[in-house]
Amino acid sequence: MPEQLEITSTLSIPLSELELSFVRSSGPGGQNVNKVATAVQLRFDVPASQSLPEPVKTRLLAKAGARATRDGVIIITADRHRTQPLNRADALTRLAELIRSATIVPRKRRPTRPTLASKQRRMDTKTRRGAVKALRQRKPSVD
């Protein structure tokens, strides 16, 4: 069992920063669901992490959404599988994927102006639409 969670070739998180607990799964499974704690609840305290740079922490908490608490702890619950090892691996993989997506720096948007042709097309469409509506407003003449 590796003692680090590999995120990218240059970034990894020691498993000591993660807190794994096993809880009972919900859903179907008969007697087994009531007896065995196979679901995994993974907790990762982002602000306390020493292995992540600050910009990645900020993007990670934004991407985590409802999975992050107010204190910045990301909670991932894995109960897709019927065994602890598979659910543990699933939770670690999902956390790694989330952090990997936060390492990508978004490109800055460069504001662009509409072309002259697109402005012209827009105005032509508005004129045509206005003409159609104007035809609806006229009352028929009674001659």
Side-chain angles (χ1 to χ4, degrees):
M1 191 75 188
E3 62 266 354
Q4 295 222 337
L5 178 63
E6 193 76 25
I7 307 299
T8 63
S9 58
T10 57
L11 182 66
S12 61
I13 295 175
L15 291 182
S16 60
E17 290 188 6
L18 306 177
E19 183 187 320
L20 289 164
S21 57
F22 296 97
V23 294
R24 289 192 181 140
S25 276
S26 63
Q31 291 275 318
N32 201 46
V33 167
N34 302 328
K35 292 189 298 186
V36 186
T38 55
V40 175
Q41 195 176 59
L42 182 144
R43 293 172 156 273
F44 177 51
D45 192 353
V46 177
S49 175
Q50 299 292 315
S51 45
L52 292 179
E54 278 306 315
V56 174
K57 287 181 185 181
T58 308
R59 286 192 298 271
L60 177 59
L61 288 173
K63 281 188 174 288
R67 289 175 286 199
T69 64
R70 284 193 194 109
D71 304 327
V73 178
I74 294 177
I75 301 172
I76 294 178
T77 305
D79 60 355
R80 293 180 193 166
H81 305 286
R82 294 182 67 163
T83 63
Q84 275 188 3
L86 287 176
N87 281 331
R88 183 178 190 275
D90 183 37
L92 290 172
T93 304
R94 283 165 49 195
L95 178 67
E97 192 57 44
L98 185 65
I99 297 171
R100 199 171 295 121
S101 70
T103 59
I104 299 166
V105 180
R107 288 199 325 232
K108 291 227 171 160
R109 182 189 175 277
R110 283 203 188 132
T112 57
R113 285 192 163 147
T115 62
L116 188 62
S118 69
K119 285 182 186 177
Q120 191 61 51
R121 279 193 302 270
R122 181 175 153 271
M123 294 312 292
D124 291 346
T125 307
K126 285 171 73 77
T127 307
R128 261 186 261 121
R129 190 76 189 136
V132 168
K133 289 186 174 190
L135 287 172
R136 291 185 195 145
Q137 297 301 314
R138 295 200 188 109
K139 293 182 180 172
S141 60
V142 186
D143 285 336

